[in-house]
Amino acid sequence: MAATLKDLSRETGLGLATLSKYFNGGTVREKNRLAIEAAVKKLHYVPNEVARSLKTQQTHAIGVVIPELSNTFITSIISSMEDILRKRDYAVIVCDCRSDPKREKEAVEFLLHRRVDGLINMATDPTGAHLKAAMNDGIPILLVDRLVENLRGKVSAVIIDNAHAAGQAVRKLTGLGHRKIGLILGSPNLYTTNQRLTGYLNALTEAGITPADEYIRYGDYTMDGGYQAVQELLKLKDRPSALFVTNFEMTLGAMLALQHQNIRVPEDLSVIGFDKLELFGEIFPDLTLIRQPQLSIGREAANLMLDLLTSREAVPHRIVTLTTELAEGKSVRSVCDQSNFDTKEYGQCL
Amino acid sequence: MAATLKDLSRETGLGLATLSKYFNGGTVREKNRLAIEAAVKKLHYVPNEVARSLKTQQTHAIGVVIPELSNTFITSIISSMEDILRKRDYAVIVCDCRSDPKREKEAVEFLLHRRVDGLINMATDPTGAHLKAAMNDGIPILLVDRLVENLRGKVSAVIIDNAHAAGQAVRKLTGLGHRKIGLILGSPNLYTTNQRLTGYLNALTEAGITPADEYIRYGDYTMDGGYQAVQELLKLKDRPSALFVTNFEMTLGAMLALQHQNIRVPEDLSVIGFDKLELFGEIFPDLTLIRQPQLSIGREAANLMLDLLTSREAVPHRIVTLTTELAEGKSVRSVCDQSNFDTKEYGQCL
DNA sequence: TTGAAAGCGCTAACAC
DNA sequence: GTGTTAGCGCTTTCAA
């Protein structure tokens, strides 16, 4: 069907090596260059990447294994990664494992069979067992967003400083006198969940506040989860005066719940959300939030992977930690100025 | 590095052909089967899909070109497709073209170079020019969600009956006496936008209502767009009494805008939304909406592609049209029972 | 059932 | 700068 180098050779009278060199950026006599270009056009020649892969032992394909395709944080990272990788002629093979460790392992094996050059993984299995085969194969592995304890020092990663991010948010709130701070986390036992919880607890401790379990909720990183978590928090006899929500979807759900319950922000409750400033744009323009640089995460991940791929020597494993930013809005205020201000509790305001 | 058939041959003393046959489901003497299995284990043999691809001229890879990765409708389709395709050992290479026709064309070319076996495309370029090369190559092409006029009869597709879907919604509203029905569409000139508009217009005409331009808004299929569109509609001196929003994100934005403006649903305004019943679950449990079967779209697309791929003969081009469902909630009511009911306008209620 | 050998389309020595 | 050649790892006649 499609033309091959051999066809080009016949057409131009040139040898295979010359043609190959031409297509790989080598220098060719002007006359021949023209001949080749003419033949390419005539025969609609397109290099066969499969044959090239077999020969070079490089597929120019990167496997990406993620827990969920329907999460804007994840898709925006993938989007930015894919953009960069494709520009460098790497294909991205996406495998959605539905947060199922078994599927995740299968996905890794599937990709290994296809001889992907590298693996990018937002890990579902916290033990990292699914990556064992890939480690044996010696292909570059890059963790994104979530570290895997057992693999520490063995693979590279691009993450954000979750504990710090949560600390930023909570410190902002304690600084405004809040002592009852609700926290809505993702699923239990996830790396990011744990880290953000740690940051929250540390910041409270710093401020001399004893954390209360009832203020800590798990919203599964979904809109509905965030919505529910808020409902529960509002049922508490001793409601929090402030709230920190730890991803985009849950923030959305939380804001909806607050509206439904006619809780004013920040008059009745201070809120710090997470992610996606642009999307909140017109809708909650004044929402204070922790902003993760998902584009940078994707970019860093893609570039780090390209590094790992192209460096002759084994690159030492690198952990790139990106920083988050506290985007100030108007959704927080001093507890003393909130409707639920209580002199007895907050004498310091006086 | 990795073991090859040759290694296995050496290890077992068997010929390449025997081994190859074994791995392709052929029958082998029991004794040899055992020997092979032992050798596979010992050498960690894994078939090299690249070599296989070169020989068979099939990559077992499907290219998927989409306008945007950060849209839940799209990702849920991809997710369901990828699941099925991977089970059949097809890799999915995703290319996000950011709704840019130029990038879309590049993506198609990129995939063609990699010799994907088939192409699944949610078209950005309405002219279909980007698919020309793929058509020439003769690989199966499958459009999803959006038809391309110029390609009618030339490629297969999986779509929903958009005009009917919109008709369902609008007829529901006209049936309840509404005559001023706001419509929030996606970006202008998209296939789905046009179709849904057609359905809306037809249903109005059927009911003897003259469509008013000011009730028709374009929200770009984004949450923010939906939010803004509602704001504009509410500014109208002659506000609509009902609203039909044509995708998930815009529905979310619209509902937020309504809450912000303290518009009660359905007391003040009847609303029919779109998509993702589950996600709205706890949050807007009573929202009436048009439900697209995205899982089925993904499933049908994957299966149709597999058909196209495996059928010896050229399968005739097929358009699979899936139906939408009107999921009844409590977000619509008769105009006569709404707060904005006006005797002069709606005499028929009396 | 099994094996030998050719070849998929390309790259990379190597010799010219 | 160009051509010859071997071979990447597999499948697939074809004979045995």
Side-chain angles (χ1 to χ4, degrees):
Chain A
M1 175 77 232
T4 69
L5 273 192
K6 221 185 259 175
D7 298 324
L8 276 193
S9 170
R10 200 177 312 123
E11 179 75 20
T12 59
L14 264 33
L16 291 179
T18 312
L19 295 167
S20 173
K21 200 197 278 172
Y22 167 79
F23 287 111
N24 290 294
T27 357
V28 177
R29 232 192 292 277
E30 179 65 6
K31 188 181 62 178
N32 291 334
R33 189 176 64 74
L34 263 35
I36 295 174
E37 284 167 4
V40 164
K41 196 153 265 170
K42 179 173 173 200
L43 303 179
H44 299 292
Y45 172 76
V46 165
N48 184 322
E49 296 294 338
V50 176
R52 182 177 274 172
S53 292
L54 179 59
K55 183 64 195 180
T56 61
Q57 300 286 50
Q58 298 192 80
T59 52
H60 266 237
I62 305 294
V64 175
V65 181
I66 50 163
E68 217 65 72
L69 206 43
S70 44
N71 172 298
T72 61
F73 174 68
I74 297 178
T75 53
S76 59
I77 290 178
I78 293 187
S79 194
S80 117
M81 270 184 351
E82 195 261 329
D83 193 31
I84 293 173
L85 291 174
R86 179 142 51 87
K87 274 191 189 124
R88 298 285 292 272
D89 258 319
Y90 278 87
V92 169
I93 301 179
V94 177
C95 297
D96 176 350
C97 74
R98 318 289 174 88
S99 293
D100 174 356
K102 182 157 159 287
R103 287 199 193 205
E104 184 175 44
K105 185 143 186 259
E106 287 165 2
V108 170
E109 277 157 11
F110 173 81
L111 293 166
L112 255 25
H113 288 193
R114 304 198 68 104
R115 301 289 198 273
V116 292
D117 290 344
L119 216 46
I120 296 180
N121 177 219
M122 187 180 249
T124 285
D125 183 347
T127 71
H130 59 294
L131 291 173
K132 211 169 154 196
M135 311 256 321
N136 287 338
D137 270 34
I139 66 170
I141 299 174
L142 181 56
L143 297 176
V144 168
D145 186 58
R146 305 176 183 174
L147 250 29
V148 172
E149 275 310 325
N150 295 339
L151 266 35
R152 198 178 274 279
K154 295 187 187 158
V155 299
S156 294
V158 176
I159 53 170
I160 61 151
D161 189 341
N162 288 282
H164 175 73
Q168 270 183 304
V170 177
R171 245 172 263 117
K172 173 81 189 172
L173 295 170
T174 56
L176 290 167
H178 292 277
R179 305 185 62 80
K180 294 179 294 185
I181 301 174
L183 173 67
I184 304 185
L185 293 166
S187 312
N189 301 325
L190 285 185
Y191 173 78
T192 49
T193 300
N194 293 339
Q195 294 291 309
R196 290 169 198 174
L197 175 56
T198 302
Y200 167 87
L201 296 176
N202 288 346
L204 287 192
T205 308
E206 268 174 37
I209 300 168
T210 309
D213 276 354
E214 58 179 7
Y215 288 157
I216 302 174
R217 302 283 158 171
Y218 294 86
D220 207 28
Y221 282 145
T222 64
M223 187 165 76
D224 204 41
Y227 186 87
Q228 309 258 34
V230 166
Q231 304 278 49
E232 290 166 19
L233 288 172
L234 293 179
K235 276 191 204 123
L236 260 30
K237 53 250 138 279
D238 195 20
R239 285 187 182 179
S241 65
L243 179 61
F244 174 44
V245 193
T246 59
N247 90 335
F248 172 73
E249 279 80 2
M250 296 194 301
T251 301
L252 206 52
M255 293 304 286
L256 275 159
L258 294 174
Q259 286 197 1
H260 275 177
Q261 305 284 331
N262 289 314
I263 305 287
R264 295 164 302 165
V265 174
E267 290 82 352
D268 306 324
L269 184 74
S270 286
V271 175
I272 297 184
F274 219 87
D275 278 344
K276 280 285 177 188
L277 198 54
E278 329 75 63
L279 247 178
F280 282 131
E282 293 296 321
I283 303 182
F284 301 114
D286 295 332
L287 195 55
T288 295
L289 34 75
I290 294 291
R291 202 178 188 177
Q292 285 191 92
Q294 34 258 90
L295 259 46
S296 302
I297 295 175
R299 182 162 16 90
E300 289 291 328
N303 288 331
L304 182 44
M305 178 51 81
L306 288 169
D307 266 15
L308 296 171
L309 250 20
T310 52
S311 54
R312 318 263 89 243
E313 290 309 303
V315 178
H317 304 297
R318 216 183 309 163
I319 307 269
V320 176
T321 304
L322 300 173
T323 56
T324 52
E325 178 195 340
L326 177 67
E328 305 262 2
K330 295 173 185 161
S331 62
V332 295
R333 66 165 59 167
S334 163
V335 69
C336 313
D337 300 328
Q338 281 188 190
S339 62
N340 47 357
F341 168 60
D342 176 339
T343 316
K344 276 202 293 298
E345 266 185 281
Y346 298 96
Q348 76 273 25
C349 290
L350 301 177
Chain B
M1 176 76 233
T4 72
L5 272 193
K6 220 186 260 175
D7 298 324
L8 276 192
S9 170
R10 201 178 311 122
E11 179 77 18
T12 60
L14 264 33
L16 291 178
T18 312
L19 295 167
S20 174
K21 198 200 280 172
Y22 166 79
F23 286 111
N24 290 295
T27 356
V28 177
R29 232 193 291 278
E30 179 67 6
K31 190 181 61 177
N32 290 334
R33 191 177 62 74
L34 262 37
I36 295 174
E37 285 167 3
V40 164
K41 196 154 265 173
K42 179 173 171 198
L43 304 177
H44 299 291
Y45 173 75
V46 166
N48 184 321
E49 297 294 338
V50 177
R52 180 177 276 172
S53 292
L54 179 59
K55 183 64 196 181
T56 60
Q57 301 286 50
Q58 298 192 80
T59 52
H60 265 236
I62 306 294
V64 175
V65 181
I66 51 163
E68 217 63 71
L69 204 43
S70 44
N71 171 299
T72 62
F73 174 69
I74 297 178
T75 53
S76 58
I77 290 178
I78 293 187
S79 194
S80 118
M81 271 183 352
E82 195 260 329
D83 193 31
I84 293 173
L85 292 174
R86 179 142 49 87
K87 274 191 188 124
R88 298 285 292 271
D89 258 320
Y90 278 88
V92 169
I93 301 179
V94 177
C95 297
D96 175 351
C97 73
R98 317 289 175 89
S99 294
D100 175 355
K102 182 157 160 287
R103 285 198 194 205
E104 184 175 44
K105 185 143 187 259
E106 288 166 1
V108 170
E109 277 157 12
F110 173 81
L111 293 167
L112 254 26
H113 287 194
R114 306 198 66 104
R115 300 290 197 272
V116 291
D117 290 345
L119 216 47
I120 296 180
N121 178 217
M122 185 179 256
T124 285
D125 183 347
T127 72
H130 59 295
L131 292 173
K132 210 169 156 197
M135 311 257 320
N136 286 339
D137 270 33
I139 66 169
I141 299 175
L142 180 57
L143 296 177
V144 168
D145 187 57
R146 306 176 184 174
L147 251 29
V148 172
E149 274 311 324
N150 295 341
L151 267 32
R152 199 177 275 279
K154 296 187 187 158
V155 299
S156 294
V158 175
I159 53 169
I160 62 151
D161 189 341
N162 289 282
H164 174 72
Q168 270 183 301
V170 176
R171 245 172 263 118
K172 173 81 190 172
L173 295 170
T174 56
L176 290 167
H178 291 278
R179 305 183 64 80
K180 297 179 294 185
I181 300 174
L183 173 67
I184 304 184
L185 293 166
S187 312
N189 302 324
L190 285 186
Y191 173 78
T192 49
T193 299
N194 294 339
Q195 294 292 310
R196 289 169 198 174
L197 175 56
T198 302
Y200 167 86
L201 295 175
N202 289 347
L204 286 192
T205 308
E206 268 174 36
I209 301 168
T210 309
D213 275 355
E214 57 179 6
Y215 289 156
I216 301 174
R217 301 284 158 170
Y218 295 85
D220 205 28
Y221 283 145
T222 64
M223 187 165 76
D224 205 42
Y227 185 88
Q228 310 256 35
V230 166
Q231 305 276 47
E232 290 167 18
L233 288 172
L234 293 179
K235 275 190 206 122
L236 260 32
K237 53 246 141 282
D238 196 19
R239 283 187 184 180
S241 65
L243 180 61
F244 173 45
V245 194
T246 59
N247 89 335
F248 172 74
E249 278 81 3
M250 296 194 303
T251 301
L252 206 51
M255 292 304 287
L256 275 158
L258 294 175
Q259 286 197 2
H260 275 177
Q261 304 284 332
N262 288 314
I263 306 288
R264 293 164 304 165
V265 174
E267 290 81 354
D268 306 325
L269 185 73
S270 286
V271 175
I272 297 185
F274 220 87
D275 278 343
K276 280 283 177 189
L277 199 53
E278 329 75 60
L279 246 179
F280 282 130
E282 291 296 321
I283 302 182
F284 300 114
D286 295 332
L287 196 55
T288 295
L289 33 76
I290 295 289
R291 202 179 187 176
Q292 285 190 91
Q294 34 259 92
L295 259 46
S296 302
I297 295 176
R299 183 161 17 87
E300 289 292 328
N303 288 330
L304 182 44
M305 179 49 83
L306 288 169
D307 266 15
L308 296 171
L309 251 19
T310 54
S311 54
R312 319 263 88 241
E313 290 309 303
V315 177
H317 303 297
R318 218 183 307 164
I319 308 268
V320 176
T321 304
L322 299 174
T323 56
T324 51
E325 177 195 340
L326 177 66
E328 304 263 3
K330 296 175 184 159
S331 63
V332 296
R333 64 165 60 168
S334 163
V335 69
C336 314
D337 300 328
Q338 282 188 190
S339 61
N340 46 357
F341 167 61
D342 176 338
T343 316
K344 278 203 291 295
E345 268 185 279
Y346 298 95
Q348 75 273 26
C349 290
L350 300 177

